[in-house]
Amino acid sequence: MMKHAKHSIESHRYELVHREDADVIAYRRKFGDGLWQTVSTWMIPRTEYP
């Protein structure tokens, strides 16, 4: 059971990327060739407060 959880952690990850106008969360998976590929992204727009 723990081995499956460890494998899951090593095969996918979430990354937070800061940009000037928004932050982006990227969900990435590691495939058999060892390369990370972005599967989906979510944008979190920044709001300016007075």
Side-chain angles (χ1 to χ4, degrees), residues 9-39:
I9 291 170
E10 293 175 353
S11 63
H12 68 270
R13 66 185 180 196
Y14 291 90
E15 293 183 8
L16 178 62
V17 180
H18 298 286
R19 296 186 179 170
E20 288 185 26
D21 57 343
D23 293 325
V24 176
I25 298 174
Y27 172 68
R28 297 184 175 175
R29 291 195 60 193
K30 190 174 189 179
F31 291 94
D33 57 5
L35 298 176
W36 289 94
Q37 181 178 8
T38 301
V39 177

Side-chain angles (χ1 to χ4, degrees), residues 34-50:
L35 298 176
W36 289 94
Q37 181 178 8
T38 301
V39 177
S40 61
T41 58
W42 297 270
M43 184 177 77
I44 305 169
R46 291 196 184 157
T47 305
E48 296 294 326
Y49 294 101

